[in-house]
Amino acid sequence: MAERTNLLDFTLPRLTAWFAELGEKPFRAKQVFSWVHQRGVDDFDAMTDLAKGLREKLHALAVVEPPEIMSEHISADGTIKWLFDVGVGNGIETVFIPEDDRGTLCVSSQVGCALDCKFCSTGRQGFNRDLSVSEILGQLWVARRRVAELGASLREDADARPITNVVMMGMGEPLNNFVAVTDAMEVMLDDHAYGLSRRRVTLSTSGVVPMIRKLGERLPVALAVSLHAPNDEIRSRIVPINRTYPIAELLKACRDYLAVAPRDFITFEYVMLEGVNDSVANARELAKLLADTPAKVNLIPFNPFAESGYVRSSDAAVRQFQSVLIEAGFVATVRKTRGDDIDAACGQLAGQVVNRMKNKTIPLRKVAP
Ligand code: SF4
């Protein structure tokens, strides 16, 4: 049999066009799209309002095929980490973080990453390949189903938090896989699919400036930027893309993005590395740097990994850094460490990937981009 089409690769307009090629009406595409995404159904026979002829056609030509779960780990705090199989020894990771008022899914966009941020082990292992739309969206499709199945067992109050937010903050630089990532996010936002608001879908980038502009044109969602430094000298050392797109250009792109963004601020992520970027002077410099940019700063305690060469800033240093920012008028939060017991805290995503650049298999561990 010829290879069947994976319906998880389609936005609604593309599914509608594909249905038209089959001689099917647009409303049929909408029905199938809702079955697949809203109800999480992958069996065409269960799509009871479709004519039998269409179901048979879909059986012959199509599948609903997310990546398979290789492993699932549930933390005592309800955090769930999945390792998904994306072929030839490659694993990608997805993490669900339940909180009192939301359930956030952290989604990967690439296998490995080419950007080589020095504190990030995904960066250390190099780039393997981009994920397809079905591999990106499939993480949400599977996670939503598993969270619902696990339901009562996840929380004491037997009221498992559904997925309300998605952050494109897992492995990879999402703006370097622009077409697939934006198509997948289009489905996340689609009212016939997951119906998430633009405010609840966040793309986190290390600062691929031209693509920030393109994102604003194509699909403006909430934006987070991995800043990690208060000046170009430090940032170029730890986030090498800064040599191509220095801070002034990046902040200008962020301010321009705010004209179309669903939120009126940009979130800046800042991993706290002892002796590198965590002094009071660094905090003051950061406050000055961001003075003209509506910003929220999220401080991330570094999670060391083998041979990282970096040390996590002390709690006192993090608190002091935060105070300086708050005194300067910023909203500054410290990211809570979640899922410690299953190695799913930020910077602790771990898996296996075949690194084609370096031609060896190494464990994946990363800090959120
Ligand atoms: S922090 Fe993000 S952009 Fe940087 S190397 Fe890691 S995955 Fe890539």
Side-chain angles (χ1 to χ4, degrees), residues 51-64:
K52 192 157 174 268
L54 174 55
R55 277 187 265 152
E56 279 167 5
K57 228 188 259 186
L58 290 173
H59 265 303
L61 300 173
V63 284
V64 177

Side-chain angles (χ1 to χ4, degrees), residues 251 255 285-295 330:
L251 293 185
R255 286 191 295 271
E285 199 179 359
L286 181 64
K288 212 165 144 198
L289 181 73
L290 296 179
D292 297 334
T293 309
F330 290 93

Side-chain angles (χ1 to χ4, degrees), residues 70-86:
M70 286 162 86
S71 66
E72 175 180 85
H73 303 277
I74 304 175
S75 160
D77 67 15
T79 301
I80 311 173
K81 181 182 77 173
W82 295 277
L83 183 63
F84 285 100
D85 182 0
V86 287

Side-chain angles (χ1 to χ4, degrees), residues 82 94-97 103-107 139-140 143 163 165-167:
W82 295 277
T94 310
V95 180
F96 173 68
I97 305 152
T104 302
L105 192 72
C106 179
V107 170
Q139 297 169 63
L140 173 58
I163 294 167
N165 294 56
V166 171
V167 291

Side-chain angles (χ1 to χ4, degrees), residues 6 10 21-23 72 81 135 145 174 238 241 277 283 304 335 344 346 364:
N6 190 351
F10 286 147
E21 283 169 26
L22 299 182
E72 175 180 85
K81 181 182 77 173
E135 288 167 334
R145 193 188 242 203
I238 60 178
I241 194 175
N277 63 358
R335 185 175 291 172
C346 280
L364 279 182

Side-chain angles (χ1 to χ4, degrees), residues 110 112-124 169-174 204-206 226 228 238-241 366-369:
Q110 296 181 312
C113 184
L115 294 192
D116 198 23
C117 300
K118 299 303 174 197
F119 52 81
C120 169
S121 69
T122 298
R124 291 279 177 97
M169 204 180 275
M171 292 171 182
E173 165 52 64
S204 177
T205 178
S206 57
S226 297
H228 305 315
I238 60 178
V239 183
I241 194 175
K366 80 177 290 284
V367 167

Side-chain angles (χ1 to χ4, degrees), residues 166-188:
V166 171
V167 291
M168 298 301 308
M169 204 180 275
M171 292 171 182
E173 165 52 64
L175 290 184
N176 279 357
N177 184 13
F178 188 82
V179 174
V181 164
T182 50
D183 278 3
M185 292 195 306
E186 182 179 326
V187 178
M188 293 173 193

